[in-house]
């Protein structure tokens, strides 16, 4: 018996590869019913044998209840071994073949743009301030507009200066102290006092902020390293639908997001629009890893492996999509609309429906 996370976590990848190399048959059994209700940890059974002497395979079964005799779902992987994440065995070989065939026709994100994580502060609630704090510390010229939480932009497809101003007026923390290249002589006394105060604050382990790992390894300790922002940013964690946002406000993000700086020749808003097609979204579910509560996360490498079927989109269609997000339109309706302007131009409807079915099947791992 193993925790379900063993099937997908990165730190166990070498162990999974070793087991695939040394065992012919890997039989994974999972349950919709929680095996240990008192803990927030899903469990599964994994049987490893060498009795099958033909082509090695991974067999994946889901049972509705712990005492069920017949699985409610079964799939088998032979051609697509080694399988980087065993949770993806919920797809059959023919599903993965189709996913790969689709993806081979388009460019990966790594080929479309430069992408990198946002700013790591070491203590967001200390280095990212509200508008009231900025005024009190008299540091208006020493801050950068920054998004530290994805839920701040709920329903926003295009981020404008007006949106950012409205966030600031509502006393959100969006003003990042940018002090790494500023002489202390230009600090107000209020700012100096603030830095001294937070620097001496201790965490639960009794370690002062200025002595914690990220702070003590930079000079000065409060000088947060600023990394480039992007034309678009993608929030690396999501629940029902991944979020990519057009950065018209020239704003920065913390490491909750990946900043995308597009190569010349690509239209920024069209790229964001095209992201919401069935293929890219199915890949998000296939490449990503999920945690308790159903949250899925893409590492930088996984994000850059996604493909986007890019094409130039009409301005009116971008306006329609932006409105759909603002009005909290159903996910399937959003995907259907984007598909109609992207992959449906090249691919049969039946194959696209298979992609949709795959995406939903993969999502059921997170939301049984």
């Amino acid at each position: 018996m193993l925790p379900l996370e063993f099937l997908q976590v990165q730190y166990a990848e070498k162990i999974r590869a070793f087991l695939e190399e040394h065992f012919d048959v890997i039989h994974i059994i999972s349950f919709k019913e929680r095996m240990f209700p008192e803990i927030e940890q899903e469990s599964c059974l994994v049987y490893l044998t060498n009795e099958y002497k033909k082509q090695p395979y991974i067999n994946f079964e889901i049972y509705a209840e712990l005492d069920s005799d017949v699985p409610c779902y079964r799939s088998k992987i032979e051609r697509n071994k080694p399988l980087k994440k065993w949770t993806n065995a919920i797809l059959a070989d023919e599903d993965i073949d189709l996913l790969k065939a689709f993806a081979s026709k388009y460019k990966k994100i790594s080929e479309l743009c430069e992408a990198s994580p946002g700013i790591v502060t070491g203590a967001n609630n200390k280095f990212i301030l509200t508008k009231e704090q900025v005024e009190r510390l008299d540091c208006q010229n020493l801050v950068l507009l920054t998004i530290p939480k994805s839920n701040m932009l709920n329903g926003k497809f295009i981020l404008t200066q007006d949106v950012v101003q409205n966030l600031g007026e509502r006393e959100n923390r969006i003003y990042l102290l940018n002090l790494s290249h500023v002489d202390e002589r230009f600090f107000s006394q209020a700012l100096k006092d603030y830095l001294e105060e937070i620097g001496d604050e201790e965490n639960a382990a009794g370690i002062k902020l200025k002595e914690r790992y990220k702070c003590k390894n930079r000079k000065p300790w409060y000088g947060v390293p600023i990394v480039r922002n992007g034309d678009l940013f993608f929030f690396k964690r999501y629940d029902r639908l991944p979020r990519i946002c057009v950065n018209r406000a020239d704003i920065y993000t913390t490491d909750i997001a990946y900043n995308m700086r597009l190569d010349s020749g690509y239209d920024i808003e069209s790229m964001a629009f095209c992201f919401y097609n069935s293929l890219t979204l199915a890949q998000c579910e296939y490449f990503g890893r999920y945690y308790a509560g159903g949250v899925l996360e893409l590492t930088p490498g996984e994000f850059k492996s996604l493909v986007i079927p890019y094409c130039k989109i009409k301005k009116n269609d971008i306006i329609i999509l932006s409105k759909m997000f603002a009005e909290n339109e159903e996910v399937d309706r959003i995907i259907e609309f984007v598909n109609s302007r992207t992959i449906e131009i090249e691919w049969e409807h039946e194959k696209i429906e298979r992609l949709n079915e795959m995406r939903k099947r993969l999502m059921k791992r997170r939301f049984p």
Side-chain angles (χ1 to χ4, degrees):
M1 186 181 301
L2 290 167
L4 194 63
E5 66 175 20
F6 171 82
L7 306 184
Q8 58 161 351
V9 290
Q10 195 167 22
Y11 61 76
E13 190 174 318
K14 289 184 179 180
I15 299 176
R16 294 194 298 269
F18 175 85
L19 294 175
E20 283 199 54
E21 183 179 349
H22 288 81
F23 290 91
D24 292 332
V25 177
I26 297 171
H27 189 182
I28 302 166
I29 299 175
S30 66
F31 305 89
K32 289 186 176 181
E33 181 184 358
R34 182 164 287 182
M35 193 174 296
F36 302 104
E38 66 276 9
I39 62 172
E40 291 187 5
Q41 177 66 65
E42 301 289 347
S43 300
C44 63
L45 299 175
V46 178
Y47 292 97
L48 307 162
T49 73
N50 277 317
E51 296 177 1
Y52 187 75
K53 299 302 180 183
K54 295 182 180 180
Q55 183 173 358
Y57 66 91
I58 298 175
N59 201 52
F60 188 90
E61 293 181 340
I62 301 175
Y63 289 79
E65 298 176 348
L66 298 179
D67 59 354
S68 298
D69 294 325
V70 179
C72 57
Y73 180 81
R74 174 186 285 136
S75 62
K76 189 175 183 180
I77 299 291
E78 290 180 325
R79 293 188 300 275
N80 290 285
K81 284 172 47 55
L83 194 62
K84 195 168 184 179
K85 295 185 182 74
W86 287 359
T87 47
N88 286 337
I90 196 171
L91 299 182
D93 263 325
E94 53 269 25
D95 296 321
I96 298 175
D97 291 342
L98 179 62
L99 196 59
K100 290 181 175 179
F102 262 97
S104 68
K105 304 296 182 182
Y106 306 106
K107 288 185 176 181
K108 296 178 181 179
I109 285 178
S110 61
E111 300 172 294
L112 296 168
C113 68
E114 177 188 353
S116 60
I119 296 167
V120 178
T121 69
N124 284 357
N125 63 335
K126 302 301 180 184
F127 294 112
I128 304 178
L129 313 176
T130 65
K131 183 178 180 181
E132 185 276 331
Q133 286 178 300
V134 170
E135 292 172 350
R136 177 163 51 82
L137 301 178
D138 192 20
C139 58
Q140 290 87 340
N141 297 324
L142 301 176
V143 293
L144 293 173
L145 291 171
T146 307
I147 296 296
K149 294 181 179 180
S150 60
N151 59 9
M152 284 185 177
L153 300 183
N154 186 33
K156 300 295 184 296
F157 175 67
I158 298 176
L159 184 62
T160 63
Q161 288 288 354
D162 288 342
V163 172
V164 174
Q165 183 177 348
N166 186 42
L167 288 173
E169 294 295 338
R170 286 186 283 157
E171 290 303 306
N172 287 293
R173 291 181 178 271
I174 63 169
Y175 300 95
L176 170 66
L177 284 170
N178 181 22
L179 307 175
S180 57
H181 301 294
V182 182
D183 194 299
E184 283 190 36
R185 292 177 300 170
F186 298 101
F187 294 1
S188 68
Q189 187 58 50
L191 179 57
K192 291 178 182 178
D193 293 342
Y194 176 76
L195 293 174
E196 184 177 354
E197 177 187 343
I198 65 170
D200 289 332
E201 285 189 11
E202 298 181 351
N203 62 13
I207 303 173
K208 294 180 179 180
L209 175 59
K210 61 186 178 184
E211 295 170 354
R212 295 177 208 169
Y213 180 77
K214 289 185 173 64
C215 292
K216 74 176 182 180
N217 285 300
R218 59 196 188 201
K219 296 184 184 296
W221 68 267
Y222 51 76
V224 175
I226 306 301
V227 297
R228 291 175 61 194
N229 58 2
D231 306 306
L232 305 167
F233 48 83
F234 171 87
F235 294 111
K236 66 182 182 181
R237 290 183 177 181
Y238 69 92
D239 50 11
R240 298 287 176 179
L241 185 69
R243 297 305 305 270
I244 194 167
C245 192
V246 178
N247 188 11
R248 278 191 191 165
D250 196 31
I251 202 167
Y252 291 78
T253 72
T254 61
D255 58 345
I256 58 164
Y258 301 129
N259 290 278
M260 302 170 62
R261 295 171 286 276
L262 299 189
D263 294 343
S264 60
Y266 293 114
D267 178 69
I268 296 170
E269 294 179 357
S270 294
M271 187 68 74
F273 180 101
C274 294
F275 182 89
Y276 289 100
N277 70 89
S278 293
L279 171 60
T280 306
L281 297 179
Q283 282 193 314
C284 286
E285 295 294 328
Y286 184 76
F287 288 133
R289 60 203 70 226
Y290 57 94
Y291 304 95
V295 174
L296 186 137
E297 178 178 349
L298 289 160
T299 66
E302 292 162 351
F303 174 65
K304 292 176 184 179
S305 297
L306 302 175
V307 301
I308 299 180
Y310 172 84
C311 60
K312 188 68 167 31
I313 303 298
K314 293 178 181 178
K315 188 69 176 179
N316 189 57
D317 287 336
I318 292 171
I319 292 172
I320 291 172
L321 182 62
S322 183
K323 185 178 180 181
M324 292 175 81
F325 276 113
E327 295 178 351
N328 198 28
E329 183 61 82
E330 292 181 6
V331 169
D332 287 347
R333 293 285 301 277
I334 289 172
I335 297 171
E336 181 181 354
F337 176 62
V338 173
N339 283 348
S340 70
R341 303 298 192 268
T342 55
I343 58 177
E344 280 191 8
I345 298 172
E346 304 177 61
W347 295 87
E348 298 92 336
H349 181 73
E350 291 180 4
K351 289 185 177 179
I352 294 172
E353 282 304 303
R354 280 186 62 189
L355 281 176
N356 287 330
E357 193 275 331
M358 275 188 265
R359 178 182 65 84
K360 292 176 180 178
R361 199 187 320 159
L362 288 164
M363 281 188 69
K364 283 183 178 179
R365 300 173 303 177
R366 302 192 286 127
F367 304 107

